[in-house]
Amino acid sequence: MRLFPVFGDQLSHDLASLRQLDPGTGDAVVMMEVMEEATYVPHHPRKIALIFSAMRHFAAELEARGVAVCYVPLDAPENAGSFFAEVQRAAAELGAEEIITTWPGEYRVLADLRSWEADLGLPVHILEDDRFLCPHANFERWAEGRKQLRMEFFYRDMRRRTGLLMDGDQPVGEQWNFDADNRRKMPAAETPPAALSFEPDATTQAVLALVQERFAGHFGSLEGFDFPVTRAQALAGLADFIERRLPAFGDFQDAMRRPRGEAGDDTLYHSLLGTSLNLGLLGPMEVCAAAEAAFAAGKAPLNAVEGFIRQIIGWREFVRGIYWLTMPGYADRNTFNADRPLPDFFWTGETDMACVRHAVEQTRDRAYAHHIQRLMVTGNLALIAGLDPAAVNRWYLSVYADAFEWVQLPNTHGMVLHADGGYLGSKPYAASGKYIDRMSDYCKGCRFDVKDSTGPDACPLNALYWHFLMENEDRLAGNPRMGLVYRSLAKFSPERRAELRAKAAATLGEWGIAEDAPSAAGAVLADRQMEPSA
Ligand code: FAD
Ligand code: DLZ
């Protein structure tokens, strides 16, 4: 008898391990809702509900295909609380002689799996997760000998390997990358369409009640839960994106927008496919093929389709490659020795900064923020305020429904915080309020004055930005991509520098993080995690 553990982000019928399963021979799948996974960081309740509901639907689909599934719901009295304990119990009960599973999404779980063979006294096979397009060995070969890894070169290789948007060995449109066309500010008259919403069925409603009861203390709301939880729904979400949002995805990829009470405010022209891709309800090649087909049919322009495909076969595969190449050491790097705790508003949204308030409130309400909010609003603030990378990583991993460490960590630690010293990206994306003003309408309705840096109503991002550059001058001034800004800084008088430092210090003081004091809301939340939920 062979036992096939399937984890919450492995919900694909063509999963490597499931391809080995033979329903006629006594093989069985085990799927487990376990407290250890639900609480190792305080996941957003919407994320937990999404994963449990999608797992339950997937288990039902497997059973409908004749597969024996041992499904352990969170509230089963016998639930032992961890993957290992559940697999051990299922293996004993079913008389398993062998365990076959697929490479998990987090190093922490891989390390656990690697100890199972000795602990269970059974052979444990961990198969490569070939739902991704770049196998580990290929990435290692590509990265070998490179001191810094750059997505653009990796991406070109991936275009050649997949044949996407290729004309022989040349890129369609004679350019690899159309990013320069993808930086439009959104005009006031533009009304992005609402994304498809998926009504919870009875299975999802039962999960929502369970999550509400057990995880009420976690940051985030369950109200209006509408994520796709099955492959059929994910496919409907894909079709909706391709038809209604892909055509403008490129133009407004970097745009941000103050909420105006319209349904598309929080999502703009983004795909919302992250959860379905990361759970395995959709595959990367099929979503790229759908976008490429829209281009071929004249339904979406090249800058949109190339931009979208680059996110999937470029960034998504690239960050995964970096994660598995560098873990476990990657998470410990801290180039700027940043050590401040998160200000409370990361958990409460209570700040007068309109951009940050919207990003946090939307995150609380939907477990979603689009890329530019993650990168240039909360991310930029975390970088220029010198927040502790471990705390920032924990926040991002907790609060987004699509967050799994293989993708969250390189984005946060590398792309946003530059804590890896430039291994992933050539320079930190540090920005002042000017960037937010250029790419959004947040500043218009904000209490702070984006044009001021040191006065009582000055946008706090401005002084923090210069403060960050001054604090890290020794590390960054030599970076050729930072030359322009350091030349500007060089023109500042000592008095101006002192004013900016004082304003930045005052802001950090107001946020309660000038010293290494633990944040009040963060501490409360951490305490809640210590309480058993049931
Ligand atoms: P779209 O904007 O429509 O993009 C399409 C798809 O491209 C996404 O669904 C995703 O699969 C892929 N993609 C886009 N950008 C990236 C990227 N930088 N890295 C990897 N894939 C990308 N993405 C996650 O999937 N999980 C995370 O936990 C996560 N954490 C992030 C943390 C930070 C600090 C930052 C800056 C980015 C993070 N991203 C993460 C990348 C990106 O922000 C999300 O993939 C995207 O916002 C999801 O929304 P969407 O599906 O509407 O994406
Ligand atoms: C994120 C998550 C949560 C909250 N709960 C579970 C769970 O109870 N059972 C499960 O199989 N997976 C869960 N997950 C997703 C896992 O953390 C994810 O599969 C990891 O990538 C495993 O490495």
Side-chain angles (χ1 to χ4, degrees):
M1 188 273 155
R2 302 182 305 171
L3 188 62
F4 291 75
V6 170
F7 304 119
D9 56 355
Q10 299 187 335
L11 310 181
S12 317
H13 290 289
D14 64 348
L15 190 71
S17 55
L18 292 179
R19 294 204 305 270
Q20 308 266 317
L21 183 141
D22 182 350
T25 61
D27 286 351
V29 162
V30 58
M31 295 180 70
M32 309 146 271
E33 297 173 4
V34 290
M35 265 326 233
E36 190 171 82
E37 283 305 297
T39 55
Y40 75 95
V41 294
H43 299 285
H44 196 298
R46 244 178 164 76
K47 175 181 180 185
I48 302 176
L50 164 70
I51 291 171
F52 288 2
S53 173
M55 284 172 64
R56 291 182 186 197
H57 282 94
F58 186 72
E61 286 174 16
L62 285 174
E63 281 171 341
R65 291 172 177 223
V67 176
V69 181
C70 169
Y71 192 93
V72 191
L74 190 81
D75 51 357
E78 70 278 15
N79 191 318
S82 73
F83 285 152
F84 175 74
E86 280 307 322
V87 168
Q88 188 176 41
R89 195 161 56 82
E93 277 174 18
L94 299 170
E97 292 152 313
E98 202 176 345
I99 310 279
I100 302 180
T101 191
T102 305
W103 194 276
E106 307 204 348
Y107 182 85
R108 171 186 61 84
V109 177
L110 179 68
D112 186 30
L113 289 182
R114 284 180 167 153
S115 68
W116 286 7
E117 190 154 296
D119 295 345
L120 293 170
L122 292 174
V124 175
H125 306 283
I126 306 171
L127 308 181
E128 173 136 14
D129 190 347
D130 54 13
R131 295 173 304 167
F132 290 90
L133 304 171
C134 183
H136 296 312
N138 290 17
F139 194 85
E140 281 162 21
R141 255 197 317 277
W142 177 80
E144 204 177 325
R146 296 175 198 246
K147 269 205 189 132
Q148 299 168 324
L149 305 183
R150 294 294 171 258
M151 194 284 295
E152 187 60 30
F153 301 115
F154 171 79
Y155 166 60
R156 291 179 192 181
D157 271 11
M158 291 298 287
R159 287 272 294 277
R160 291 192 188 95
R161 262 192 253 164
T162 57
L164 285 163
L165 291 181
M166 292 300 290
D167 194 354
D169 62 353
Q170 290 305 308
V172 168
E174 296 171 10
Q175 242 173 266
W176 291 103
N177 181 317
F178 289 82
D179 228 8
D181 300 339
N182 291 358
R183 298 195 183 120
R184 283 186 60 196
K185 185 169 178 168
M186 197 169 283
E190 191 74 30
T191 310
L196 264 195
S197 189
F198 299 92
E199 188 76 14
D201 63 4
T203 300
T204 303
Q205 281 174 18
V207 165
L208 290 171
L210 174 72
V211 172
Q212 183 64 48
E213 186 196 325
R214 299 288 179 95
F215 303 99
H218 289 205
F219 165 85
S221 160
L222 279 174
E223 190 143 342
F225 178 97
D226 64 351
F227 282 121
V229 294
T230 62
R231 175 161 168 78
Q233 291 181 341
L235 284 169
L238 171 62
D240 179 57
F241 165 65
I242 297 285
E243 190 190 326
R244 297 165 68 225
R245 298 193 300 286
L246 175 65
F249 173 87
D251 285 2
F252 301 118
Q253 197 178 346
D254 284 1
M256 293 174 281
R257 150 83 57 96
R258 195 150 46 99
R260 310 190 302 186
E262 286 159 7
D265 283 348
D266 294 345
T267 48
L268 307 182
Y269 289 98
H270 291 274
S271 71
L272 301 190
L273 295 176
T275 54
S276 297
L277 281 163
N278 293 352
L279 261 55
L281 302 176
L282 293 176
M285 232 7 223
E286 70 183 327
V287 305
C288 291
E292 191 182 40
F295 170 65
K299 291 182 177 162
L302 186 53
N303 68 311
V305 173
E306 186 283 314
F308 176 72
I309 287 179
R310 176 158 26 92
Q311 306 314 309
I312 308 284
I313 65 169
W315 280 113
R316 188 169 187 268
E317 296 287 330
F318 178 68
V319 298
R320 179 173 185 264
I322 289 189
Y323 179 79
W324 288 111
L325 188 69
T326 58
M327 280 302 278
Y330 192 75
D332 298 331
R333 299 185 197 174
N334 188 354
T335 297
F336 300 127
N337 297 318
D339 61 359
R340 295 193 179 94
L342 297 193
D344 290 349
F345 55 71
F346 270 79
W347 300 109
T348 63
E350 286 167 15
T351 167
D352 286 339
M353 287 179 285
C355 54
V356 178
R357 188 173 62 240
H358 179 217
V360 174
E361 287 180 350
Q362 168 179 334
T363 300
R364 177 196 65 205
D365 295 345
R366 305 180 69 119
Y368 177 82
H370 63 69
H371 184 66
I372 300 302
Q373 292 175 304
R374 297 187 205 195
L375 180 67
M376 297 309 299
V377 178
T378 43
N380 177 56
L381 187 145
L383 170 73
I384 63 179
L387 304 189
D388 172 11
V392 181
N393 283 323
R394 193 174 152 79
W395 187 80
Y396 276 99
L397 186 57
S398 305
V399 302
Y400 292 114
D402 56 28
F404 297 89
E405 202 184 56
W406 64 266
V407 52
Q408 171 275 323
L409 184 72
N411 269 295
T412 311
H413 208 67
M415 189 188 295
V416 161
L417 298 177
H418 209 70
D420 64 358
Y423 190 61
L424 179 149
S426 54
K427 75 175 196 59
Y429 282 90
S432 65
K434 210 174 180 179
Y435 177 90
I436 306 283
D437 197 28
R438 192 165 63 239
M439 295 310 298
S440 78
D441 57 358
Y442 282 127
C443 302
K444 283 198 189 95
C446 186
R447 170 171 102 61
F448 295 111
D449 179 0
V450 69
K451 300 229 158 47
D452 187 10
S453 298
T454 50
D457 291 328
C459 170
L461 299 176
N462 293 339
L464 285 174
Y465 168 70
W466 292 112
H467 181 246
F468 168 77
L469 293 175
M470 288 187 271
E471 290 290 285
N472 297 295
E473 201 158 356
D474 53 338
R475 284 191 193 82
L476 294 175
N479 181 327
R481 297 199 59 203
M482 306 288 287
L484 194 67
V485 346
Y486 274 103
R487 281 197 291 283
S488 299
L489 182 62
K491 292 180 195 147
F492 287 14
S493 65
E495 293 74 27
R496 183 66 181 152
R497 283 180 173 242
E499 270 173 13
L500 288 163
R501 278 188 199 281
K503 176 69 183 177
T507 296
L508 296 172
E510 278 164 33
W511 293 351
I513 59 166
E515 307 297 329
D516 290 350
S519 87
V524 168
L525 201 87
D527 284 350
R528 285 201 194 135
Q529 300 322 306
M530 297 298 123
E531 293 168 11
S533 293

